Amino acid sequence: MALTKAVIVKLDQPGTPPIPVMFNPPKYELSKTNQFAEIKVPGLPSSVLQFVSGNAKSLTMDLFFDTTDRKTDVRLLSSAVSNLTEPHPMTKAPPRLLLLWGSLAFPCVLISVRQTFDHFNTLGLPLRATLSVEFKGHDPLKNVLAATPLAQIAQTTRYIVKVGDTLQRIAAEIYGNPNQWR
């Protein structure tokens, strides 16, 4: 049984028909990164890494468009995808999207698209294109906050550093234990 064609749905414009992908990509790549702060402490042989936050998931793939049999400009099809990087006049931001393909449902925004045209008719009209696209996961704020344990939010503390403070003294004051400075 063949996999149904991938489609891109504009979440900000309900009722807008989904954008079908002409041919399913042969593969896609999902990636997730974290951000760390590197804290340099004088006298230590290496710096201390402190987790800051997770970054949004990223989905990359190549989309293939071919109009050789129709002899029409392939940009008429590929522009439906490349235009998803353009800000909407009302929101001043590119649209929020939902990429659907088989079991993959990826709420996202399109952050980059690179178009390569590699087949032309005798007049120079492009008939074949490959779009290298990168989508960034877009989780609604309420979902992100719901995934954060309340204890972690309550643990966030502000401290104004005073002359002569050390990490151990701050840890003792905030956590009641100077060994918790990391």
Side-chain angles (χ1 to χ4, degrees):
M1 177 195 248
L3 192 61
T4 59
K5 283 195 177 176
V7 293
I8 302 169
V9 179
K10 291 183 182 180
L11 294 176
D12 297 329
Q13 299 171 5
T16 304
I19 300 167
V21 172
M22 191 169 198
F23 299 99
N24 281 331
K27 64 179 180 175
Y28 65 86
E29 181 179 315
L30 275 172
S31 62
K32 172 87 168 99
T33 60
N34 290 321
Q35 186 175 9
F36 289 84
E38 192 169 356
I39 303 165
K40 298 185 183 308
V41 180
L44 290 183
S46 69
S47 56
V48 177
L49 289 181
Q50 173 67 48
F51 175 74
V52 176
S53 68
N55 295 326
K57 287 182 182 175
S58 182
L59 171 69
T60 56
M61 64 177 64
D62 289 335
L63 303 176
F64 181 69
F65 294 86
D66 189 349
T67 57
T68 304
D69 58 340
R70 298 183 231 167
K71 298 180 181 11
T72 59
D73 191 338
V74 74
R75 293 174 293 189
L76 297 172
L77 295 174
S78 65
S79 65
V81 174
S82 63
N83 288 343
L84 295 173
T85 60
E86 298 297 324
H88 186 275
M90 295 292 288
T91 63
K92 307 293 186 221
R96 292 177 309 124
L97 308 169
L98 178 62
L99 184 110
L100 298 169
W101 183 31
S103 63
L104 177 68
F106 192 69
C108 56
V109 291
L110 180 60
I111 62 165
S112 81
V113 59
R114 189 178 72 243
Q115 301 181 70
T116 304
F117 301 98
D118 61 7
H119 183 67
F120 305 87
N121 69 8
T122 55
L123 299 173
L125 190 71
L127 301 176
R128 190 176 301 142
T130 303
L131 276 59
S132 297
V133 294
E134 182 178 1
F135 297 94
K136 199 62 105 166
H138 181 274
D139 293 325
L141 181 59
K142 65 179 183 174
N143 293 359
V144 173
L145 292 177
T148 305
L150 192 55
Q152 185 178 351
I153 294 171
Q155 193 178 34
T156 304
T157 306
R158 181 167 39 167
Y159 182 85
I160 299 174
V161 178
K162 298 179 266 324
V163 174
D165 273 349
T166 64
L167 291 175
Q168 289 82 3
R169 185 178 296 153
I170 295 169
E173 189 171 323
I174 300 292
Y175 303 116
N177 181 348
N179 295 326
Q180 294 293 317
W181 67 271
R182 288 188 183 190

